[in-house]
Amino acid sequence: MLLLSQQQQQPSHFPPRLKRHGITIESEIEYRVGPFFVLAVNIKRIDWRRFIKSTHRDVVERRNKWQRKQEQDELGGKEQVGMLQCWSSTIARLRHMSKYEWLSYFIAFLYHFHWTIYLPVCWVTYHVLMGNLYRTFILQHVADETFVLVEEKGMEMRVGIKEAPQQAGFMLSALREIRDDGRQLKQKQKESESVDKASLLGPLLGPAVKEDKGPAPPPPDGFVVPESLEFVGLELDLPVGFKRLRWALLNTSCSFTTDAVWNAEAKYENITVEPWSKHDEHIGSTTPVEGVDEADFIGAERNASYLMPKSVFVKANMCSEVQYIESYNDHCFVLKKKALTPDVPYGSTFVAWTKYIVINTGNDTCKMICSVEAEFPNGPPMIARQIKSGMRTGVGEVFVLTGETITKYADEYP
């Protein structure tokens, strides 16, 4: 059973797309509400010869991509990788593989044997030993083909896979969350129409800065605004001065991000933020500090962590974040973040990078560009496409919340 978070017609392209895997299925949409629907999938037949061949091809392609990335990293100026380091990275990659990836390697290994050997092995492991594991692995292929169709239409999707015995309980839990989300959305729409100042936490953006009222200063000589990451999730003109926003987002003494964005809007809990690794008391300051070169702020980093609330697809989980200052001057500042979420499915296989670029446009305004990119340190897993899509959707929501919250507080506390 699949629960998809983007409403679509029943995918009629499943049979021809899955044919290369040797999988024959029947599917039916059982329930639909809002953007969610439940798709029941029944595996009717498996052509083991074709299934083993396609799995072997997929495994080889993923391994080759990982090896090409390693070679590109070396050519990009990184140190030459020795034999010991190569073996170490390979072991790390194997250690972070999921049980489904181990199954894919097992199936790919059978490709090297005659069919008189691998067919009995497949029949026994599928019908006697690992039936549930095989079926979930096959449904990952179904989900991946669904992502191809959805991405071709320029949309995003989240997906969860459950066995038939768990279907009823999962559907009831999901429906409760869908209804709760619907009520919260209606409440937010009402609040956005008329923001109640009493619902805000106070002037957390800090006081207006005199220098922000004039025209924007030119960029320093030779300075180029850094490039965004792979996917730009938000590009927004903000009604707040550049130095004021820089203080709110970067200064350790300001609680705007932790209290207004993370806790009040995103519903994060157990939030901790450590000081910057250098110049902690000066980073984000609205006035120049005598004897301190702001160029030294570049490269400063700090750690943060928080508990993200559960969703339809993912239980509540901790996120550990490292924040880096990539650029810092009166024309532009760039905050880059590296997030690790080991408790989510496949969480040990990827790193979520986000980047906030804020450009001074003068007259108490600035422009914010938010982007995200997935990194797979040990090579992309078999559901890399799904991970990227979920990351774009989830982080995109945080980008929008951040922009909305900045605008709301700037309007109420000019």
Side-chain angles (χ1 to χ4, degrees), residues 200-209 212 238-251 253-261 284-286 333 358 364 366 368 401-414:
L200 304 183
L201 303 178
L204 296 184
L205 283 175
V209 179
D212 286 336
L238 296 170
V240 61
F242 175 81
K243 288 190 174 182
R244 185 185 183 192
L245 182 60
R246 187 174 66 182
W247 177 84
L249 296 183
L250 299 184
N251 195 270
S253 65
C254 180
S255 61
F256 174 76
T257 299
T258 55
D259 293 351
V261 181
S285 176
T286 56
F333 75 86
V358 180
D364 273 329
C366 56
M368 183 170 70
L401 277 179
T402 303
E404 287 179 343
T405 307
I406 293 172
T407 302
K408 186 164 55 176
Y409 276 77
D411 288 343
E412 291 300 320
Y413 297 99

Side-chain angles (χ1 to χ4, degrees), residues 29-328:
I29 295 179
E30 289 193 344
Y31 190 85
R32 185 187 307 222
V33 56
F36 294 82
F37 66 82
V38 175
L39 179 68
V41 178
N42 182 36
I43 301 169
K44 297 184 66 178
R45 180 176 173 273
I46 302 174
D47 184 336
W48 289 106
R49 296 184 187 183
R50 183 170 292 176
F51 182 58
I52 289 174
K53 183 178 179 180
S54 68
T55 302
H56 176 266
R57 182 173 60 247
D58 292 343
V59 167
V60 170
E61 286 180 359
R62 288 200 303 272
R63 186 174 58 212
N64 289 341
K65 284 181 180 179
W66 180 66
Q67 291 174 345
R68 284 197 298 270
K69 180 180 180 301
Q70 297 291 95
E71 293 171 358
Q72 289 172 359
D73 289 343
E74 292 181 33
L75 294 175
K78 296 188 177 181
E79 296 182 0
Q80 185 72 23
V81 178
M83 181 65 69
L84 182 61
Q85 188 175 352
C86 181
W87 275 104
S88 177
S89 62
T90 301
I91 292 172
R93 181 169 181 262
L94 294 174
R95 189 175 68 248
H96 290 102
M97 282 171 50
S98 69
K99 57 185 177 182
Y100 304 111
E101 290 178 297
W102 279 111
L103 178 61
S104 69
Y105 271 75
F106 170 71
I107 296 171
F109 177 69
L110 294 177
Y111 174 78
H112 301 285
F113 294 88
H114 193 265
W115 67 267
T116 56
I117 297 175
Y118 68 66
L119 281 183
V121 173
C122 291
W123 191 95
V124 172
T125 53
Y126 180 72
H127 292 282
V128 180
L129 301 177
M130 300 184 296
N132 288 340
L133 187 62
Y134 268 96
R135 285 187 286 272
T136 306
F137 175 74
I138 290 171
L139 286 180
Q140 294 286 5
H141 284 293
V142 177
D144 203 56
E145 300 299 345
T146 309
F147 270 88
V148 173
L149 295 173
V150 170
E151 288 180 347
E152 286 176 354
K153 296 179 181 294
M155 295 181 288
E156 299 291 351
M157 181 183 74
R158 294 184 188 179
V159 58
I161 299 176
K162 296 294 177 180
E163 291 288 330
Q166 302 172 320
Q167 177 177 337
F170 181 71
M171 284 179 60
L172 290 174
S173 175
L175 290 174
R176 279 195 297 270
E177 289 204 35
I178 292 168
R179 287 168 182 157
D180 289 342
D181 289 345
R183 285 193 291 267
Q184 292 176 10
L185 180 59
K186 290 180 181 179
Q187 182 65 26
K188 282 189 176 182
Q189 289 173 341
K190 290 180 181 179
E191 292 175 356
S192 64
E193 293 173 0
S194 58
V195 177
D196 182 7
K197 196 169 185 177
S199 67
L200 304 183
L201 303 178
L204 296 184
L205 283 175
V209 179
K210 183 179 179 181
E211 287 81 359
D212 286 336
K213 297 183 183 298
D221 292 340
F223 175 76
V224 178
V225 176
E227 293 184 358
S228 298
L229 299 178
E230 181 182 21
F231 175 76
V232 176
L234 180 69
E235 190 168 338
L236 184 66
D237 294 321
L238 296 170
V240 61
F242 175 81
K243 288 190 174 182
R244 185 185 183 192
L245 182 60
R246 187 174 66 182
W247 177 84
L249 296 183
L250 299 184
N251 195 270
T252 302
S253 65
C254 180
S255 61
F256 174 76
T257 299
T258 55
D259 293 351
V261 181
W262 287 358
N263 184 257
E265 296 295 333
K267 307 304 179 186
Y268 295 168
E269 298 178 355
N270 303 338
I271 299 170
T272 62
V273 179
E274 298 179 3
W276 290 104
S277 59
K278 57 182 179 179
H279 298 292
D280 178 66
E281 67 276 18
H282 303 312
I283 290 177
S285 176
T286 56
T287 57
V289 181
E290 186 176 353
V292 176
D293 185 0
E294 292 185 344
D296 292 339
F297 297 172
I298 298 173
E301 43 183 272
R302 67 181 177 184
N303 297 318
S305 63
Y306 41 83
L307 178 68
M308 296 189 290
K310 70 178 180 120
S311 68
V312 174
F313 303 105
V314 181
K315 65 180 181 179
N317 61 93
M318 286 298 298
C319 175
S320 300
E321 192 174 272
V322 184
Q323 303 179 2
Y324 307 88
I325 294 180
E326 187 174 315
S327 297
Y328 192 102

